[in-house]
Every structure is written in C-alpha cells, then in structure tokens.
Amino acid sequence: MAKTDLMDRIVNLAKRRGLVFPSSDIYGGFRSTWDYGPLGVLLKRNVKEAWWRSMVQMREDIVGLDAAILMAPRVWEASGHIDTFTDPLVDCKQCKERFRADQLPESGACPKCGTKGSFTEARQFNLMFKTFVGPVEDAASIAYLRPETAQGIFVNYANVQTTMRRKPPFGIAQVGKSFRNEITPGNFVYRTREFEQMEMEFFVPPEDGEKWFKYWCDERMSWYTDLGIAPDTLRLRQHETSELSHYSSGTADVEFMYPWGWGELEGVANRGDYDLRKHAEFSGQDLSYFDQEKDLRYVPHVIEPAAGADRATLAFLLSAYSEEEVETAAGKTETRTVLRLDPRLAPIKVAVLPLSKNEQLVPVSAEIASALRPHWMIDVDVSGSIGRRYRRQDEVGTPLCVTVDFETLEDRCVTIRERDSMAQERVAIADLVAWLRDRLPL
C-alpha cells in the first residue's frame, strides 16, 4: 500500500468510524482543528493513560500536576517566549498564501501555485495566541494561551518540591492542552494550532544532567515499541548544534516514519538550569535546592521528555492499520481491515455480540454486558450478520469479541473470538471476567 494511500485510508476510517471529525464540520470545518469522536476520545485517552501509568504511577520519583492554561504574562517574558518564540514567515506574492520560510522546497517554488521567486522577505512571526483578561482590552489585561505545558511545571517547582518533600532527582509530569498559531498546520492531527502535550520535567543535580539525558532518550524510545510501534519505523535523532534551542545543551527527537517522511513524535531536551534561573530572576523567588547531605546549594538542571498526545495517537493508528484478504463463510474472498492496536490502547476492549436478535439471546447478552462494564469499555452490537459485526470490531481495533449463540442457552458458555488470529475459544460465562482479565493487560 502506498504511503499516501495509507494516510487517506486512516483519515477516511477516522471520520467513518467516529475516531476524528473535522471541527465545525456542518459549517465546512475550521482549518487545522479536529474533534475526537466517541471512539477517538477513548483511543487518545488510552494513549495519555498509558503515558501517565509509565511516567507517574509506576515510578517513585515522579509526581503529577495540572497547571492553568492562562498564566501571568511575566512567565512568558521570563521563559523568552515573548521575544523568541517565533517562526520565519513569508508570503507568496502570486497566490497570497503564507508559509514558513524554513520549510520551503529547495526549488524555490511556491508549494501552492508553483511560482518561483515570488516570496516576500522573511519576517519573524510570534506563535503565541494573545487574549485579554477581564472586560477591558488594554495592555494591562493582555494574557496568552500557553504554547507549552512546561512553564506551568517550572513555576510550581518550589511548591511541589516542598509539599511532596522531594529531593533531586525527581520529576513533575503534566498532560494538557497547548496552543500555537502555526503558520502552516497540516497532515491531519499531526500539526495543529490546538494540541495536547504529555510533558515531564526531571530535576537533577547539575553533574548528573548528561546521565539522565541518555536515560530518558532510551526510556522514551522503549515506551513506543512496548505499545506496538515497529522499531524500524522509529529513530532517535540527535540535534545538530545549529538546531538547538537557546536553553538546550542537548536535544534528541524520537521520530516516526509517517507517510510523508520522518516526523517528530517527542523531544528529549537537556534544558540545563535555564528555566529555574530565569524564573528566579523575574519573580525574585529562590528556586535553588540545598542538599543537606553534601552541604551544597545548587539550581537543579532539567531533562525534559515532551511528547504530543495527538502525534502519538496518529502514529499508533498508522502502525496498527492493516488490510488482508480473508475467505468468507460463503467461500468468497474479501478484504478485512484491522487495527492491530495494543489492547491497552484499543478504544473498545470487548464486544458482546448475540448471534441474532433472538428474544432469548439478547437478554443473555445484556447480562454479560452488565458483568463486563465495571471492568472494561465494551460495545454491544446486535445489527447485521455476525461476520459483518466481526469486521466492524476489527477495523476499530477491538481485541476480543464475545459471541452469544443458541448453545449458550444450554451450556452457559460463550465463544470468544480473537481479533488478530480470528481464533475462537469456548469459555463459561461464570469464568468470563477472570479469563478476560488474564488477557487484557493494564
């Protein structure tokens, strides 16, 4: 399957099956905004929960935070965003479209109209969304939608360190919305103006920065492969010196092979002590740490793994999508579309399918559904042939289907059908929850 075809099929599947819709769809959409539908919100939530489990729940050295989107404007002065958070912007004189100057093709032709040499001089464009707090729109009421979640962690460093009695090395993790007025958004949910980040700031003694930078590069690569992304579609790319942000002494990107080429999934940066020193300077607060054992005061250095929840969700979809030819019960061949998602990410864990709408089968299906709901997100589907219902569950990644048939009325057993192999097994209803729990990992 061609890579461009794969992207088209993912976008089509996403809308058709309730994963992702164009935002404001009945009004023709709104550029670079997307709404996650009933199944999409479950998938993305599972991605975020898998990240949280890995980064917070399963570790002793990381705690969580949920900071406000609106923050004091001085935060963005201290961080450098007001002065330096810019992209070079050019206009095409022919078609009037705007582009990032650093993403133009080498040919010098306009990506839209093809005209060469038609661009204006590049000018710097600040990516932050500006708004006003309160009823008066003046300079004193200016505020910004946060362009990253990291600064909320830095300004809460002292609060968290003190209240949780933490000693470096320790981390603070956060999942939340960020906003960037991108010049050229695109590639479905990959680059948007409103997006969700999964960031963690890991505070370490200055001499340990390089050690922890390497550790988090390796750890974050492993997270993606553990959840089903093939290693040959991932790479860790170290930034050249010319690419480094002003605060970074080293940055590496976890990149995924998207249909358009390698694209950043997550960045891991050694930010040094830049952020805490800047916020200490602008706020007048002491953000250093005193190590009593060593009788030493220092400003912790920070290692930051920063992932995009939307980009990760897209990468998991692309990795999981497959099509195969299978034989039907009638002996014909048809194409089966399957999302081979890791069960931890699948929107629906179990589907309950009565063989038909028979008045004896439906109540048993409802009984089973009631028993499973407290444990997993499930679906009950009674419409269409059993084969069609299997296919519907396959293409949204449901790992297991529980079929209630007429034998169930006699032996109180159900048939469980596995998504990838299509193998079937008979299990007693009384043992069903335990059987599923053994096969659906947390």
Side-chain angles (χ1 to χ4, degrees), residues 138-151:
D138 58 14
S141 59
I142 290 175
Y144 301 91
L145 301 184
R146 67 182 181 196
E148 64 180 25
T149 60
Q151 300 306 319

Side-chain angles (χ1 to χ4, degrees), residues 34 297 317 393 401 422:
W34 302 91
R297 182 173 294 279
L317 279 173
Q393 297 298 330
C401 291
M422 296 186 286

Side-chain angles (χ1 to χ4, degrees), residues 10 97 130 147 173 191 204 222 226 242 258 398 404 408 421 428 431:
I10 287 291
E97 280 291 308
K130 183 187 294 186
R191 187 181 298 279
V204 303
S222 297
D226 177 60
S242 59
Y258 289 95
T398 305
V404 179
T408 304
S421 67
D431 300 331

Side-chain angles (χ1 to χ4, degrees), residues 149-340:
T149 60
Q151 300 306 319
I153 295 176
F154 295 132
V155 301
N156 277 291
Y157 161 76
N159 288 334
V160 174
Q161 188 272 318
T162 302
T163 58
M164 303 306 292
R165 304 183 306 280
R166 295 289 168 158
K167 174 183 177 179
F170 78 96
I172 304 174
Q174 178 169 211
V175 176
K177 286 286 185 79
S178 294
F179 306 83
R180 296 180 186 178
N181 197 8
E182 295 280 358
I183 298 169
T184 53
N187 287 327
F188 195 30
V189 298
Y190 179 80
R191 187 181 298 279
T192 59
R193 295 187 173 103
E194 173 188 347
F195 54 96
E196 202 154 7
Q197 289 184 291
M198 306 180 294
E199 287 194 306
M200 191 274 292
E201 309 301 327
F202 201 70
F203 301 92
V204 303
E207 66 273 15
D208 293 342
E210 281 304 310
K211 177 183 75 173
W212 282 106
F213 174 68
K214 182 180 185 306
Y215 170 86
W216 282 112
C217 286
D218 295 341
E219 192 76 6
R220 296 308 303 145
M221 282 285 285
S222 297
W223 184 76
Y224 292 101
T225 55
D226 177 60
L227 287 170
I229 294 183
D232 62 355
T233 62
L234 289 170
R235 72 179 184 185
L236 187 70
R237 186 183 70 82
Q238 299 288 339
H239 280 209
E240 300 291 337
T241 303
S242 59
E243 295 179 89
L244 293 176
S245 301
H246 61 281
Y247 55 73
S248 176
S249 62
T251 297
D253 286 344
V254 178
E255 295 186 334
F256 175 72
M257 178 54 80
Y258 289 95
W260 58 87
W262 291 104
E264 180 189 348
L265 256 182
E266 175 168 349
V268 182
N270 185 343
R271 300 178 72 118
D273 62 4
Y274 173 85
D275 301 280
L276 292 184
R277 284 196 180 278
K278 278 295 184 180
H279 286 301
E281 174 189 339
F282 275 72
S283 69
Q285 302 295 311
D286 182 7
L287 299 180
S288 63
Y289 175 78
F290 181 69
D291 188 329
Q292 293 181 338
E293 294 179 6
K294 296 182 179 179
D295 192 25
L296 176 67
R297 182 173 294 279
Y298 60 85
V299 176
H301 283 212
V302 177
I303 310 301
E304 176 192 74
D310 306 275
R311 292 183 178 189
T313 299
L314 178 57
F316 286 123
L317 279 173
L318 290 164
S319 295
Y321 186 92
S322 70
E323 294 180 0
E324 62 184 18
E325 297 299 313
V326 295
E327 188 173 323
T328 67
K332 297 181 179 180
T333 300
E334 68 177 14
T335 301
R336 182 173 86 116
T337 299
V338 190
L339 280 184
R340 300 185 189 278

